[in-house]
Coordinates of all heavy atoms in Angstrom, one line a residue:
Chain G
A174 N 92.7 96.8 139.9 CA 91.7 96.6 138.9 C 90.3 96.9 139.4 O 90.0 96.7 140.6 CB 91.7 95.2 138.3
F175 N 89.5 97.5 138.5 CA 88.1 97.7 138.9 C 87.4 96.3 138.9 O 87.5 95.5 138.0 CB 87.4 98.6 137.9 CG 87.1 99.9 138.5 CD1 88.0 100.9 138.5 CD2 85.9 100.2 139.2 CE1 87.8 102.2 139.0 CE2 85.7 101.4 139.8 CZ 86.6 102.4 139.7
E176 N 86.7 96.0 140.0 CA 86.0 94.7 140.2 C 84.7 95.0 141.0 O 84.6 95.9 141.7 CB 86.9 93.7 140.9 CG 87.9 93.0 140.0 CD 89.0 92.3 140.8 OE1 88.8 92.1 142.0 OE2 90.0 92.0 140.1
K177 N 83.8 94.0 140.8 CA 82.6 94.0 141.6 C 83.0 93.8 143.1 O 83.8 92.9 143.4 CB 81.7 92.9 141.1 CG 80.3 93.0 141.7 CD 79.5 92.0 140.8 CE 78.1 91.8 141.4 NZ 77.3 91.0 140.5
T178 N 82.5 94.6 144.0 CA 82.9 94.6 145.4 C 82.0 93.6 146.1 O 80.8 93.8 146.1 CB 82.7 96.0 146.0 OG1 83.5 96.9 145.2 CG2 83.2 96.0 147.4
S179 N 82.6 92.6 146.7 CA 81.8 91.8 147.7 C 82.3 92.2 149.1 O 81.5 92.5 150.0 CB 81.9 90.3 147.4 OG 83.3 90.0 147.2
D180 N 83.6 92.2 149.3 CA 84.1 92.6 150.7 C 84.5 94.0 150.7 O 85.5 94.3 150.0 CB 85.3 91.6 151.0 CG 86.0 92.0 152.3 OD1 85.4 92.9 153.0 OD2 87.1 91.5 152.5
P181 N 83.8 94.9 151.4 CA 84.2 96.3 151.4 C 85.6 96.6 151.8 O 86.3 97.5 151.4 CB 83.2 96.9 152.4 CG 82.1 96.0 152.4 CD 82.6 94.6 152.2
A182 N 86.2 95.7 152.6 CA 87.5 95.9 153.1 C 88.6 95.7 152.0 O 89.7 96.1 152.2 CB 87.8 94.9 154.3
A183 N 88.2 95.1 150.9 CA 89.1 94.8 149.8 C 89.2 96.0 148.9 O 90.0 96.0 148.0 CB 88.7 93.6 149.1
V184 N 88.4 97.0 149.1 CA 88.4 98.2 148.2 C 89.6 99.1 148.5 O 89.8 99.3 149.7 CB 87.1 99.0 148.3 CG1 87.1 100.3 147.6 CG2 85.9 98.1 147.8
E185 N 90.2 99.6 147.5 CA 91.4 100.5 147.7 C 91.1 101.8 147.1 O 91.1 101.9 145.9 CB 92.6 99.9 147.0 CG 93.1 98.5 147.5 CD 94.1 98.6 148.6 OE1 94.5 99.8 149.0 OE2 94.6 97.5 149.0
L186 N 90.8 102.8 147.9 CA 90.5 104.1 147.3 C 91.8 104.9 147.0 O 91.7 105.8 146.2 CB 89.6 104.9 148.2 CG 88.1 104.3 148.3 CD1 87.3 105.2 149.1 CD2 87.5 104.2 146.9
D187 N 92.9 104.6 147.6 CA 94.2 105.2 147.3 C 94.9 104.3 146.4 O 95.5 103.3 146.8 CB 95.0 105.3 148.6 CG 94.9 106.7 149.2 OD1 94.9 107.7 148.4 OD2 94.7 106.8 150.4
Y188 N 94.9 104.6 145.1 CA 95.6 103.7 144.2 C 96.1 104.6 143.0 O 95.5 105.7 142.8 CB 94.7 102.7 143.6 CG 93.6 103.2 142.7 CD1 93.7 103.2 141.4 CD2 92.4 103.8 143.3 CE1 92.7 103.7 140.5 CE2 91.4 104.3 142.5 CZ 91.6 104.3 141.1 OH 90.6 104.8 140.3
P189 N 97.2 104.2 142.4 CA 97.7 105.1 141.3 C 96.9 104.9 140.0 O 96.7 105.9 139.4 CB 99.2 104.6 141.1 CG 99.2 103.2 141.6 CD 98.1 103.1 142.7
R190 N 96.5 103.7 139.7 CA 95.9 103.5 138.4 C 95.4 102.1 138.3 O 96.0 101.2 138.9 CB 97.0 103.7 137.3 CG 96.7 103.3 135.9 CD 97.9 103.4 135.0 NE 98.5 104.8 135.0 CZ 99.5 105.2 135.7 NH1 100.1 104.4 136.5 NH2 99.9 106.5 135.7
V191 N 94.2 101.9 137.8 CA 93.7 100.6 137.5 C 94.2 100.1 136.2 O 94.3 100.9 135.2 CB 92.2 100.4 137.7 CG1 91.7 100.4 139.1 CG2 91.5 101.6 136.9
L192 N 94.4 98.8 136.0 CA 94.9 98.2 134.8 C 94.0 98.7 133.6 O 94.4 99.4 132.7 CB 94.9 96.7 134.8 CG 96.0 96.1 135.6 CD1 95.8 94.6 135.8 CD2 97.4 96.4 135.0
G193 N 92.8 98.2 133.6 CA 91.8 98.6 132.6 C 90.9 99.6 133.2 O 90.7 99.6 134.4
S194 N 90.4 100.6 132.4 CA 89.5 101.6 133.0 C 88.1 101.0 133.1 O 87.9 99.8 132.9 CB 89.5 102.8 132.1 OG 88.9 102.4 130.9
V195 N 87.2 101.8 133.5 CA 85.8 101.4 133.6 C 85.1 101.1 132.2 O 84.0 100.7 132.1 CB 84.9 102.4 134.4 CG1 85.3 102.4 135.9 CG2 85.0 103.8 133.8
K196 N 85.9 101.4 131.2 CA 85.4 101.2 129.8 C 84.9 99.8 129.6 O 83.8 99.6 129.0 CB 86.6 101.4 128.8 CG 86.3 101.0 127.4 CD 87.5 101.4 126.5 CE 88.5 100.3 126.3 NZ 89.5 100.6 125.3
K197 N 85.5 98.8 130.3 CA 85.1 97.4 130.0 C 83.6 97.1 130.4 O 83.0 96.2 129.9 CB 86.0 96.5 130.8 CG 86.0 96.6 132.3 CD 87.0 95.7 133.0 CE 87.0 96.0 134.5 NZ 88.1 95.4 135.2
Y198 N 83.1 98.0 131.3 CA 81.7 97.8 131.7 C 80.7 98.3 130.7 O 79.5 97.8 130.6 CB 81.4 98.4 133.0 CG 82.2 97.8 134.1 CD1 83.3 98.4 134.7 CD2 81.9 96.5 134.6 CE1 84.1 97.8 135.7 CE2 82.7 95.8 135.5 CZ 83.8 96.5 136.1 OH 84.6 95.9 137.0
F199 N 81.1 99.3 129.9 CA 80.2 99.9 128.9 C 80.5 99.3 127.5 O 79.6 99.2 126.6 CB 80.3 101.4 128.9 CG 80.2 101.9 130.3 CD1 81.2 102.7 130.8 CD2 79.1 101.6 131.1 CE1 81.2 103.1 132.2 CE2 79.1 102.0 132.4 CZ 80.1 102.8 133.0
L200 N 81.7 99.0 127.2 CA 82.1 98.5 126.0 C 83.0 97.2 126.3 O 84.2 97.3 126.5 CB 83.0 99.5 125.2 CG 83.5 99.0 123.8 CD1 82.4 98.9 122.8 CD2 84.6 100.0 123.3
P201 N 82.3 96.1 126.6 CA 83.0 94.9 127.0 C 84.0 94.5 126.0 O 83.8 94.7 124.8 CB 81.9 93.9 127.2 CG 80.6 94.6 127.2 CD 80.9 95.9 126.4
P202 N 85.1 93.8 126.4 CA 86.1 93.4 125.5 C 85.5 92.5 124.4 O 86.0 92.4 123.3 CB 87.1 92.5 126.4 CG 86.9 93.1 127.8 CD 85.5 93.6 127.8
R203 N 84.4 91.8 124.7 CA 83.7 91.0 123.8 C 82.2 91.0 124.1 O 81.8 90.9 125.2 CB 84.2 89.6 124.0 CG 83.9 88.7 122.9 CD 84.4 87.3 123.1 NE 84.0 86.5 121.9 CZ 84.6 86.6 120.8 NH1 85.7 87.2 120.7 NH2 84.1 85.9 119.7
E204 N 81.4 91.2 123.1 CA 80.0 91.2 123.3 C 79.2 90.8 122.1 O 79.7 90.8 121.0 CB 79.5 92.6 123.8 CG 79.4 93.6 122.7 CD 79.0 95.0 123.2 OE1 77.8 95.1 123.6 OE2 79.8 95.9 123.2
T205 N 78.0 90.3 122.3 CA 77.1 89.9 121.2 C 76.3 91.0 120.6 O 75.7 91.7 121.3 CB 76.2 88.8 121.7 OG1 77.0 87.7 122.3 CG2 75.4 88.2 120.6

Side-chain angles (χ1 to χ4, degrees):
Chain G
F175 252 89
E176 278 164 16
K177 190 166 170 173
T178 304
S179 47
D180 174 12
V184 171
E185 300 266 3
L186 290 181
D187 261 319
Y188 68 98
R190 171 185 300 97
V191 280
L192 284 173
S194 66
V195 292
K196 172 174 91 173
K197 63 185 176 189
Y198 296 106
F199 312 122
L200 181 69
R203 193 181 180 82
E204 75 184 291
T205 301

